[in-house]
């Protein structure tokens, strides 16, 4: 427990300057580094970290995408380039599969594309939320607040209310998670997002907060956060590993720490294309 707390404090100390200077090149640099590390961890999990024909283009894409989003002058152009990049990646991976003479299995290449696409979509959704959504400099923080509040309070509510583990959530995937923890994490996520909205309204009079949407978003974010966590646990179990890495002592790797954040970021990017949490007047 002490190791986890120390690691969390150090990680927050590193993350805080990035968030403070998110309007500068600091944010795309941080997201690019996180994406590259996460891609490496997933390729290692899949047994493809030495499949250079597959992974080198993926590293380049992970490095370049946040900068493309930050310095693109039109959101529509980003969507066009993202679609083109996804189609090009599919064609490229199929070509590698075709000319590898059986070196790689179709199933491995297919799941590689699916998971790497998911990882890159998650990290880049954070950039999109910050730069292109109404009140983006507040909205993108909800990716972290929603995921980590859910995770933290699900843990403590599970410890306090789910003792004995009688009401397990999905024991085949994560034996320690309980319904008590899941519900507790959801309740506190909603409260946390509402509190964040209240704080934003107090520090910036030019921002109007839609508390109803924050409550709805809090429910959605918490559910998606827990699903994201469980989905990445399924992959770990399927490939027989405990953690994706050792970058964060007591927590695991980049994907172990950001599994929920990635899912939340993708869903928030879609949600915010229809509804606004904040309106700048």
């Amino acid at each position: 427990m002490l190791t986890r707390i120390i690691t969390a404090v150090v990680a927050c100390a590193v993350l805080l300057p990035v968030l403070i200077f998110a309007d500068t090149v600091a944010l795309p640099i941080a997201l690019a580094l996180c994406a590259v590390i996460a891609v490496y961890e997933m390729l290692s999990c899949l047994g493809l970290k030495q499949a250079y024909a597959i992974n080198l283009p993926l590293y380049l894409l992970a490095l370049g995408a946040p900068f493309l989003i930050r310095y693109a002058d039109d959101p529509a152009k980003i969507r066009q380039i993202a679609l083109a990049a996804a189609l090009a990646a599919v064609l490229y991976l199929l070509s590698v599969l075709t000319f590898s003479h059986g070196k790689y299995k179709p199933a491995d290449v297919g799941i590689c594309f699916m998971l790497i696409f998911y990882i890159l979509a998650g990290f880049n959704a954070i950039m999109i939320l910050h730069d292109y959504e109404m009140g983006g400099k507040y909205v993108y923080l909800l990716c972290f607040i929603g995921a980590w509040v859910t995770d933290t309070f699900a843990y403590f509510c599970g410890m306090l209310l789910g003792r004995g583990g009688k009401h397990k959530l999905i024991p085949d995937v994560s034996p320690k998670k309980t319904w008590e923890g899941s519900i507790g994490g959801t309740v506190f996520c909603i409260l946390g997002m509402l509190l964040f909205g209240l704080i934003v309204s107090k520090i910036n009079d030019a921002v109007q907060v839609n508390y109803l949407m924050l409550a709805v978003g809090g429910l959605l974010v918490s559910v998606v956060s827990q699903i994201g966590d469980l989905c990445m646990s399924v992959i770990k179990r399927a490939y027989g590993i405990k953690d994706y890495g050792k970058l964060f002592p007591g927590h695991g790797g980049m994907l172990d720490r950001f599994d929920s954040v990635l899912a939340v970021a993708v869903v928030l990017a879609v949600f915010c294309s229809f509804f606004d949490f904040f309106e700048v007047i």
Side-chain angles (χ1 to χ4, degrees):
M1 176 62 74
L2 180 60
T3 301
R4 287 176 63 89
I5 294 174
I6 293 173
T7 300
V9 171
V10 173
C12 288
V14 174
L15 179 63
L16 187 59
V18 175
L19 299 182
I20 293 174
F21 297 102
D23 289 328
T24 71
V25 74
L27 184 59
I29 288 175
L31 289 175
L33 290 175
C34 288
V36 168
I37 294 171
V39 168
Y40 172 81
E41 289 177 351
M42 184 54 71
L43 290 170
S44 298
C45 171
L46 299 177
L48 295 172
K49 70 176 181 179
Q50 294 183 333
Y52 301 115
I54 291 176
N55 58 42
L56 287 179
L58 298 178
Y59 288 136
L60 292 175
L61 186 60
L63 275 174
F67 295 94
L68 171 65
I69 294 170
R70 166 53 58 89
Y71 298 108
D73 55 3
D74 183 4
K77 187 181 295 183
I78 294 174
R79 291 191 291 269
Q80 293 171 353
I81 295 174
L83 178 60
L87 293 175
V90 171
L91 181 59
Y92 175 77
L93 290 175
L94 288 174
S95 299
V96 170
L97 183 63
T98 300
F99 295 103
S100 67
H101 305 290
K103 184 178 180 179
Y104 307 116
K105 297 179 180 179
D108 291 338
V109 174
I111 197 165
C112 172
F113 172 78
M114 178 183 72
L115 293 173
I116 299 302
F117 179 82
Y118 168 72
I119 290 169
L120 297 184
F123 281 113
N124 289 298
I126 296 172
M127 180 65 72
I128 291 172
L129 286 167
H130 180 279
D131 285 4
Y132 293 99
E133 296 303 329
M134 177 72 75
K137 69 177 182 178
Y138 304 117
V139 173
Y140 87 109
L141 294 174
L142 295 175
C143 299
F144 307 101
I145 293 170
W148 291 342
V149 166
T150 297
D151 183 54
T152 300
F153 283 95
Y155 174 79
F156 285 113
C157 289
M159 289 282 290
L160 295 173
L161 304 176
R163 289 181 177 178
K166 294 181 179 180
H167 307 105
K168 293 185 181 297
L169 188 62
I170 306 181
D172 293 341
V173 176
S174 187
K176 294 183 180 180
K177 285 183 169 52
T178 63
W179 279 103
E180 291 86 351
S182 177
I183 295 170
T186 300
V187 171
F188 278 97
C189 179
I190 295 171
L191 293 176
M193 288 182 64
L194 290 173
L195 177 60
F196 178 71
L198 180 61
I199 293 172
V200 169
S201 70
K202 296 299 183 183
I203 64 176
N204 191 342
D205 294 335
V207 175
Q208 289 186 344
V209 181
N210 189 330
Y211 290 102
L212 176 60
M213 281 298 101
L214 275 177
V216 173
L219 174 61
L220 177 64
V221 161
S222 185
V223 172
V224 168
S225 172
Q226 295 177 63
I227 292 174
D229 184 358
L230 291 167
C231 287
M232 297 306 277
S233 295
V234 168
I235 301 300
K236 286 191 290 188
R237 283 185 170 273
Y239 286 87
I241 62 173
K242 182 179 183 295
D243 295 314
Y244 284 104
K246 300 179 180 179
L247 182 64
F248 301 106
H251 293 265
M254 184 67 70
L255 287 173
D256 296 291
R257 186 64 275 173
F258 281 81
D259 49 5
S260 299
V261 174
L262 296 177
V264 169
V266 171
V267 170
L268 273 183
V270 175
F271 186 88
C272 289
S273 65
F274 296 97
F275 307 101
D276 292 326
F277 294 124
F278 308 102
E279 182 178 352
V280 181
I281 57 177

